[in-house]
Amino acid sequence: MYLAVGPVDLRGAFDRLAAITRQVLCLDPASGALFLFLNKRRNRLKALWWDRNGYTILYKRLSKGAFALPSFTEADGKCIELCTRSADPILSSSLCAA
C-alpha cells in the first residue's frame, strides 16, 4: 500500500491516477498494490487498485475534518509505503483530525 505524499487533483479517474502512479510515483499501477491519493485539504481520498483484469477506484469524502497522515519527511520522496497499521488512521473516518 502506497500513499502519494503530495496533493493530487482527484477529478481524474482510472487512467489519470494510473498515469500519476507510473510517472510521478515511479510505480506499476497494475502491481496489485493499493495506491492512496489525497486532495490538498485532505478531506477526500481516492484509492486505486488493479484486480487481475481491471482497475477499481474507492472514493471517500469526509463530511468534516481531514484524514490523519502518518509522519514522514521530505526524504521519503513522492510516496511512502504503508503497512496496515499505519494506514488505519487514514482509512478510518473516526480517526480524523479536526
Side-chain angles (χ1 to χ4, degrees):
M1 183 178 328
Y2 296 91
L3 171 67
V5 171
V8 173
D9 180 357
L10 296 181
R11 292 177 291 182
F14 300 97
D15 294 332
R16 176 77 177 123
L17 293 177
I20 291 169
T21 302
R22 259 190 311 278
Q23 297 166 3
V24 177
L25 306 181
C26 300
L27 296 168
D28 179 12
S31 67
L34 185 67
F35 299 95
L36 305 175
F37 304 92
L38 295 168
N39 65 340
K40 189 174 184 176
R41 292 175 35 198
R42 293 190 355 247
N43 67 337
R44 295 171 192 234
L45 173 139
K46 272 192 179 178
L48 179 71
W49 176 58
W50 176 264
D51 177 31
R52 291 178 291 186
N53 62 357
Y55 289 113
T56 298
I57 286 183
L58 302 170
Y59 189 27
K60 184 163 187 170
R61 181 185 70 193
L62 297 178
S63 57
K64 62 181 179 176
F67 289 99
L69 296 179
S71 60
F72 58 88
T73 65
E74 294 277 330
D76 290 319
K78 297 181 188 242
C79 72
I80 53 175
E81 188 170 4
L82 301 173
C83 63
T84 305
R85 186 176 192 184
S86 59
D88 260 355
I90 298 169
L91 301 176
S92 172
S93 61
S94 63
L95 295 176
C96 58

